[in-house]
Amino acid sequence: AQRVTQPEKLLSVFKGAPVELKCNYSYSGSPELFWYVQYSRQRLQLLLRHISRESIKGFTADLNKGETSFHLKKPFAQEEDSAMYYCALSGSGLRGRAQKLVFGQGTRLTINP
Amino acid sequence: ETGVTQSPTHLIKTRGQQVTLRCSSQSGHNTVSWYQQALGQGPQFIFQYYREEENGRGNFPPRFSGLQFPNYSSELNVNALELDDSALYLCASSNGRVSGNTIYFGEGSWLTVV
């Protein structure tokens, strides 16, 4: 079964502090992992994907297959990082090769001034 | 380049009624997926359409059905509405049906069933 778990529904840190949003997954195969972000009153948008190995807005995420994790990290949080963050896994649908995204429940990140 | 647009943005229906939600995919995209997002939950995959054919379905009953048109726009139809169908319905488009293509989401249609 494909599953994504984000253990923290809410996370609050102070500006300038490090941030880590946790994500664990279960998938039988080679997973493709993503982080999506939803800022207030905006649509869901892609933040980063593990195959790109890039840093976006100071965020990075490393796929750890041994621990089946894909935690999102940023060394110094900024107020504009306050948003809802979703970890997602790409897998096939029940038929065909649909690029189905399986989402976690999401973590609401609040950066305090 | 236009983004993914959905209509209506909000609607209220009565239990047992039927609803149709519409989605225009991003320019150049031929694949549309629909997701249901209940309050406090992450989006859940309903189904996907690629070049007017269903290309995968999640764990949703047959009363959830869809269409994709030649211009790649799409509709989500839900029959015999239940209270638990109250949710945000998201449309997402991408180019092609294989992994690796970025998926773009619309702002969603809020459905309330009373």
Side-chain angles (χ1 to χ4, degrees):
Chain A
Q2 302 164 8
R3 178 174 286 176
V4 175
T5 303
Q6 294 179 251
E8 303 137 329
K9 278 202 149 181
L10 302 170
L11 183 62
S12 181
V13 301
F14 285 102
K15 178 182 170 181
V19 172
E20 183 179 46
L21 287 83
K22 291 184 168 49
C23 172
N24 289 90
Y25 67 89
S26 65
Y27 183 73
S28 54
S30 295
E32 194 168 355
L33 274 295
F34 306 82
W35 277 98
Y36 278 80
V37 61
Q38 188 167 29
Y39 300 103
S40 179
R41 297 189 183 86
Q42 293 187 27
R43 65 188 66 197
L44 198 59
Q45 58 186 285
L46 178 66
L47 179 62
L48 55 78
R49 59 204 311 171
H50 89 271
I51 59 172
S52 300
R53 293 186 152 272
E54 57 195 346
S55 172
I56 305 292
K57 298 184 179 182
F59 285 98
T60 59
D62 290 320
L63 179 61
N64 185 323
K65 292 186 179 181
E67 296 183 357
T68 60
S69 69
F70 187 57
H71 303 326
L72 183 68
K73 300 177 183 178
K74 184 169 183 176
F76 307 104
Q78 298 172 300
E79 288 185 65
E80 54 265 33
D81 296 329
S82 293
M84 195 74 187
Y85 290 81
Y86 293 95
C87 182
L89 177 154
S90 178
S92 296
L94 292 178
R95 298 199 303 267
R97 297 171 59 222
Q99 187 185 7
K100 169 183 115 173
L101 288 173
V102 177
F103 286 87
Q105 278 196 319
T107 299
R108 181 167 298 282
L109 175 65
T110 302
I111 307 301
N112 300 305
Chain B
E1 184 179 272
T2 57
V4 179
T5 58
Q6 294 186 240
S7 64
T9 52
H10 295 82
L11 71 166
I12 300 173
K13 290 285 187 177
T14 303
R15 190 170 49 181
Q17 284 188 314
Q18 178 264 345
V19 69
T20 297
L21 307 178
R22 295 178 176 82
C23 171
S24 292
S25 59
Q26 183 157 316
S27 177
H29 286 183
N30 54 20
T31 302
V32 171
S33 302
W34 286 92
Y35 290 80
Q36 181 195 66
Q37 187 174 17
L39 207 57
Q41 303 294 319
Q44 277 195 297
F45 178 78
I46 303 174
F47 44 55
Q48 182 184 89
Y49 280 84
Y50 171 70
R51 292 188 174 179
E52 303 178 58
E53 290 189 5
E54 189 179 288
N55 182 47
R57 188 178 183 91
N59 190 26
F60 281 82
R63 59 190 185 83
F64 285 78
S65 63
L67 280 173
Q68 188 178 32
F69 300 99
N71 66 355
Y72 303 131
S73 65
S74 177
E75 285 182 355
L76 164 64
N77 299 290
V78 187
N79 293 323
L81 283 167
E82 301 176 0
L83 297 179
D84 285 349
D85 295 334
S86 295
L88 177 67
Y89 288 85
L90 295 170
C91 173
S93 76
S94 59
N95 188 4
R97 62 175 175 175
V98 298
S99 296
N101 291 294
T102 300
I103 296 173
Y104 294 87
F105 284 85
E107 293 187 325
S109 293
W110 282 101
L111 171 64
T112 302
V113 182
V114 297

